[in-house]
Amino acid sequence: MDNKKVIRDTVADLVEGEGSPWAERGFFVVEVACKGAAEDEIEVSVDSDGETGVGIDDCAVLSREISARLEAELAEQLPDFSLVVMSAGLGQPLRMGRQYRKLMQQALARDVLPYVDVLFRDGRKLTGAVLCGIGYGGDTEEDIPSAIEVAYTVKELLPGKKRKSDVERRERIELAETKAVSEHFEFK
């Protein structure tokens, strides 16, 4: 049996499974990574639909619960492993449709548009406001949009002007063409 699959299924069941107190609080698994030569370094990233998010105390309790469950299920195959449970935090790429929805809902509750940083595969970077997600419900199980429409401002030299002016642009961005899309934070 594949240890990675057992680990992912165990974590998903514990966090998102039916009757789970974590699922009732809106928690969901963003990523489970197995690293190291023996794939015994496990990193679990979680997020929450709730307004309070995922706190350090939540991560500590989850870590103990996941560790106990993995020790029971993989004692022979993986006797020694390290486990890190963390919140999907600042600057991490949005990986799930649920994260896009959360970003949109939080921004709209504050009556603003959500801003994202987009890193393209060719190295180009763009920061702009997400206007909408396009193409939900594709071939995958996840409800990740296949594209987003972003409004952003660039400085361009307009005809008849001596200085560059701010010009608003809109662009449909295919997420397959991006390396990462993450929430934009501006510290003032």
Side-chain angles (χ1 to χ4, degrees):
M1 189 183 300
D2 182 19
N3 285 348
K4 281 192 217 178
K5 181 172 178 11
V6 172
I7 292 167
R8 285 188 181 102
D9 291 347
T10 300
V11 171
D13 183 54
L14 184 87
V15 176
E16 301 170 349
E18 191 174 320
S20 165
W22 299 104
E24 290 172 9
R25 290 180 53 199
F27 280 58
F28 57 95
V29 178
V30 174
E31 184 176 31
V32 177
C34 300
K35 300 178 178 182
E39 295 181 338
D40 57 353
E41 298 170 19
I42 304 164
E43 290 183 359
V44 177
S45 179
V46 293
D47 204 347
S48 170
D49 293 325
E51 290 189 24
T52 58
V54 179
I56 193 159
D57 293 335
D58 296 322
C59 291
V61 172
L62 253 174
S63 179
R64 287 190 293 272
E65 290 180 14
I66 293 169
S67 186
R69 189 117 16 124
L70 290 177
E71 284 172 2
E73 292 188 23
L74 293 172
E76 292 178 20
Q77 298 95 327
L78 208 58
D80 267 348
F81 64 88
S82 68
L83 174 66
V84 175
V85 177
M86 63 187 135
S87 170
L90 294 175
Q92 288 189 339
L94 302 172
R95 299 187 186 284
M96 304 178 71
R98 208 163 165 177
Q99 290 177 296
Y100 281 93
R101 267 196 318 279
K102 177 183 171 184
L103 174 69
M104 297 293 279
Q105 289 169 347
Q106 287 177 342
L108 294 175
R110 294 186 318 264
D111 220 14
V112 296
L113 287 171
Y115 274 77
V116 293
D117 294 318
V118 180
L119 176 61
F120 291 89
R121 293 191 187 279
D122 63 6
R124 183 171 68 113
K125 294 178 184 177
L126 178 141
T127 298
V130 178
L131 302 176
C132 67
I134 304 163
Y136 286 91
D139 320 355
T140 64
E141 293 177 16
E142 291 299 325
D143 56 352
I144 300 172
S146 59
I148 55 177
E149 186 173 337
V150 177
Y152 59 96
T153 304
V154 293
K155 290 202 175 282
E156 288 184 1
L157 187 59
L158 298 174
K161 301 279 183 172
K162 292 184 178 188
R163 294 182 182 206
K164 290 184 178 182
S165 301
D166 287 339
V167 177
E168 187 174 304
R169 298 272 183 231
R170 289 181 176 208
E171 185 175 340
R172 177 185 171 133
I173 299 171
E174 298 292 330
L175 293 182
E177 296 172 5
T178 66
K179 197 172 194 176
V181 177
S182 56
E183 185 174 0
H184 175 76
F185 291 97
E186 195 167 299
F187 299 100
K188 291 183 179 182

